[in-house]
Amino acid sequence: MSINIKDTVKAIREMVPIIDPEDDYLTIAAAEEQMALKQDARQKELHDAHAKLKQLAKVLEAARVSATRPSTIPSAEEHVAHMNDLDATRLSLAKAINDAEGALAGKEAELARLKEETRVLETSDPAADHDLDATTLRLALYKGLGFEPIMDKGGRMLVRAESGDVHCLTFDDRKKSDEEYANELWRLASS
């Protein structure tokens, strides 16, 4: 199939009156303007889509961070181990509390018994129960303090000092007051 050049030229000449270059120019200009508008619209959509993508990427990263277990929170295994430790501690504390309550009950019973014994002892008079010689008790107390009276007409008292020395104090027919004699006895005992 070969095309004859003369036929082609003839066809083009026949089409020249039909073709209006100004009309075609306006059509082409309008098409370019439409394409420029479409290009701007596509660029704007692309820019908006890019901005939305960045925003969604930030939201995704925030969601990823919030979904990640922080290092301060123990893992599930650590949590179970910690709960088991706490259960064991709770059980040991419950046993200790139970033991302490038992001991407390025993001590309260002992306290009640001792209070009853105290009440009985406070109401009793041991001196009335026994015939005690108060003089003998006083002499034993004096001797324990280091004072030993000599029972004769002279009125003398042996005083054992802290140093181990023994002094003899004579009560000369009350030439001194009782207070002076008491001071002298304590002075000799503390020497």
Side-chain angles (χ1 to χ4, degrees):
M1 288 200 191
S2 91
I3 298 176
N4 187 357
I5 203 122
K6 287 183 183 184
D7 290 335
T8 306
V9 171
K10 181 180 170 191
I12 291 176
R13 284 192 184 144
E14 288 173 2
M15 291 184 63
V16 166
I18 301 172
I19 298 177
D20 182 12
E22 190 173 319
D23 219 15
D24 290 342
Y25 172 76
L26 291 175
T27 303
I28 291 173
E32 285 180 349
E33 186 179 332
Q34 284 296 325
M35 288 192 320
L37 289 173
K38 290 281 186 189
Q39 179 68 20
D40 289 344
R42 264 188 261 128
Q43 284 296 332
K44 184 178 181 309
E45 283 180 21
L46 182 63
H47 178 70
D48 291 347
H50 190 63
K52 191 169 185 177
L53 177 65
K54 282 185 178 180
Q55 181 184 9
L56 290 175
K58 287 180 183 178
V59 169
L60 175 65
E61 186 59 31
R64 182 178 290 135
V65 167
S66 69
T68 304
R69 181 183 294 269
S71 61
T72 57
I73 295 176
S75 67
E77 294 82 20
E78 291 170 337
H79 177 70
V80 168
H82 186 66
M83 291 301 292
N84 289 339
D85 290 345
L86 288 176
D87 280 344
T89 302
R90 180 181 55 85
L91 291 174
S92 66
L93 286 176
K95 184 181 180 309
I97 288 170
N98 193 18
D99 293 346
E101 286 175 346
L104 176 65
K107 294 296 180 184
E108 285 175 344
E110 184 180 355
L111 177 64
R113 184 184 55 79
L114 290 173
K115 281 183 178 179
E116 180 60 26
E117 284 181 22
T118 303
R119 187 192 61 74
V120 168
L121 289 174
E122 286 176 348
T123 58
S124 70
D125 184 13
D129 294 345
H130 305 286
D131 290 331
L132 296 177
D133 185 6
T135 306
T136 307
L137 286 175
R138 273 189 246 124
L139 287 174
L141 284 171
Y142 292 151
K143 191 170 184 178
L145 290 172
F147 305 109
E148 189 172 339
I150 300 174
M151 299 298 193
D152 64 0
K153 291 184 180 182
R156 294 178 297 164
M157 173 103 47
L158 290 178
V159 180
R160 229 174 309 121
E162 289 178 359
S163 63
D165 296 340
V166 177
H167 304 282
C168 182
L169 179 65
T170 305
F171 300 100
D172 299 330
D173 293 328
R174 300 281 185 190
K175 292 180 183 175
K176 296 180 183 178
S177 69
D178 287 345
E179 184 179 339
E180 290 173 321
Y181 279 124
N183 287 339
E184 181 69 18
L185 283 170
W186 285 113
R187 184 187 65 75
L188 289 173
S190 62
S191 66

